[in-house]
Amino acid sequence: MLLDSIETKEKILAEFLKICVLEGWTESAISQAVTNAGISEKFSDLIFENGVLEIAEFYVESQNKKLSKKIREIENFHSQKIRDKIRLALYARIELEKDNQIALQRLINFYLDFKNFTSFEVGIKPMMQGMKACFKVSDFIWKELNDQSTDFNFYTKRLTLAKIILRTLFVFVKDESENFVKTKNFIDSQIAKVMKFEKHKMQVKKIVSAAFLNEEGVLKTPKEIIKNLPFFRLIKS
């Protein structure tokens, strides 16, 4: 058995998720998990060299892989509209995390622990990694949706979804409703808000385009722009 293999790390992570519910995301919890996995504690630093930050990152990557499999099991997933694909993907992620509510709350506590900010060695690293984790999940979902964006939209799409994921996480860890209906309703409301904003943005874009571009999509001359202004047409009539 290779110490740094995916299989070994998965085995340790499974033990860690049980322990961190009480111990939190700590170095001692990792050492205990390594021992419980039947590996000598002295190898702990070799397996997760960067300690809690590394096992947290591995956790996100591991759950992403499971999410990919879960998405493939959704019937007619790729025939859905984009907003429905995102909704179903987020629902699937919630299902994956249903046994990890407390562990995730402990992870949030680790990322936002005030003591980190007073430590020169740790500083804002945990908080920054927490934000990056949301972006990674967002990026993963967009790739699962076969998103082909390469321009500025590539980042805006991922940042928008990352924000929804972050907000959803705070709702999910405290959700005691049956089948996490509260979290799912929150996801629906967040997607609806984004769609409403995008619709408004498209309307504004059409108005601006109509005002400054001709039918061929070429920029109008100043004379043409002024001539088509409502108040100017009123004066001319």
Side-chain angles (χ1 to χ4, degrees):
M1 178 176 64
L2 294 174
L3 287 176
D4 61 348
S5 69
I6 298 296
E7 291 76 14
T8 300
K9 289 184 175 181
E10 287 281 7
K11 190 175 180 180
I12 294 169
L13 177 62
E15 294 297 328
F16 179 84
L17 289 174
K18 301 173 190 174
I19 297 165
C20 75
V21 168
L22 295 176
E23 298 289 328
W25 288 66
T26 63
E27 301 295 334
S28 60
I30 296 176
S31 297
Q32 190 178 337
V34 169
T35 301
N36 289 1
I39 302 168
S40 174
E41 186 183 331
K42 66 182 180 181
F43 295 121
S44 179
D45 291 341
L46 295 176
I47 301 169
F48 291 107
E49 186 177 350
N50 292 317
V52 178
L53 289 174
E54 188 167 339
I55 198 169
E57 188 172 20
F58 180 74
Y59 170 74
V60 172
E61 292 170 355
S62 176
Q63 293 299 84
N64 278 346
K65 290 177 183 177
K66 293 175 184 176
L67 177 60
S68 181
K69 182 180 178 182
K70 209 163 182 62
I71 286 174
R72 289 197 297 272
E73 294 171 353
I74 299 174
E75 189 175 355
N76 300 319
F77 179 79
H78 288 291
S79 65
Q80 304 281 339
K81 293 180 179 179
I82 291 292
R83 62 174 177 268
D84 293 323
K85 288 180 185 179
I86 292 173
R87 177 176 58 82
L88 291 171
L90 291 177
Y91 280 12
R93 187 67 181 222
I94 293 302
E95 289 298 318
L96 269 179
E97 305 289 1
K98 64 184 179 182
D99 295 325
N100 300 326
Q101 270 185 295
I102 300 176
L104 283 171
Q105 179 63 71
R106 298 289 183 268
L107 180 56
I108 291 172
N109 294 344
F110 165 71
Y111 282 145
L112 301 180
D113 190 347
F114 181 74
K115 287 185 288 187
N116 293 333
F117 305 109
T118 61
S119 168
F120 178 77
E121 184 178 351
V122 180
I124 63 171
K125 287 180 184 177
M127 184 181 71
M128 293 302 296
Q129 182 170 302
M131 295 172 66
K132 287 179 181 178
C134 291
F135 188 87
K136 280 186 176 181
V137 176
S138 173
D139 181 50
F140 185 85
I141 290 175
W142 276 112
K143 285 177 179 176
E144 286 292 309
L145 269 56
N146 297 319
D147 177 56
Q148 301 299 315
S149 299
T150 56
D151 55 5
F152 187 66
N153 281 334
F154 177 92
Y155 298 100
T156 56
K157 285 179 177 180
R158 281 151 179 78
L159 287 171
T160 300
L161 182 54
K163 186 166 68 172
I164 291 176
I165 291 168
L166 178 60
R167 289 175 174 175
T168 299
L169 179 60
F170 282 102
V171 175
F172 170 70
V173 294
K174 298 183 183 299
D175 189 358
E176 296 179 356
S177 63
E178 187 175 358
N179 295 322
F180 303 104
V181 67
K182 181 180 178 181
T183 301
K184 291 175 181 177
N185 286 341
F186 180 79
I187 289 170
D188 292 348
S189 69
Q190 291 295 297
I191 293 174
K193 285 180 182 178
V194 172
M195 294 306 298
K196 185 177 181 180
F197 173 76
E198 288 298 319
K199 184 178 180 180
H200 177 70
K201 189 169 73 173
M202 287 301 295
Q203 289 173 338
V204 172
K205 188 175 180 181
K206 285 180 181 178
I207 293 170
V208 172
S209 296
F212 294 97
L213 302 176
N214 61 26
E215 292 179 359
E216 287 74 35
V218 178
L219 187 66
K220 294 178 181 177
T221 64
K223 185 177 180 179
E224 288 174 320
I225 293 171
I226 294 172
K227 186 186 295 184
N228 287 294
L229 290 174
F231 68 88
F232 189 84
R233 292 201 302 270
L234 183 62
I235 294 171
K236 293 287 285 184
S237 63

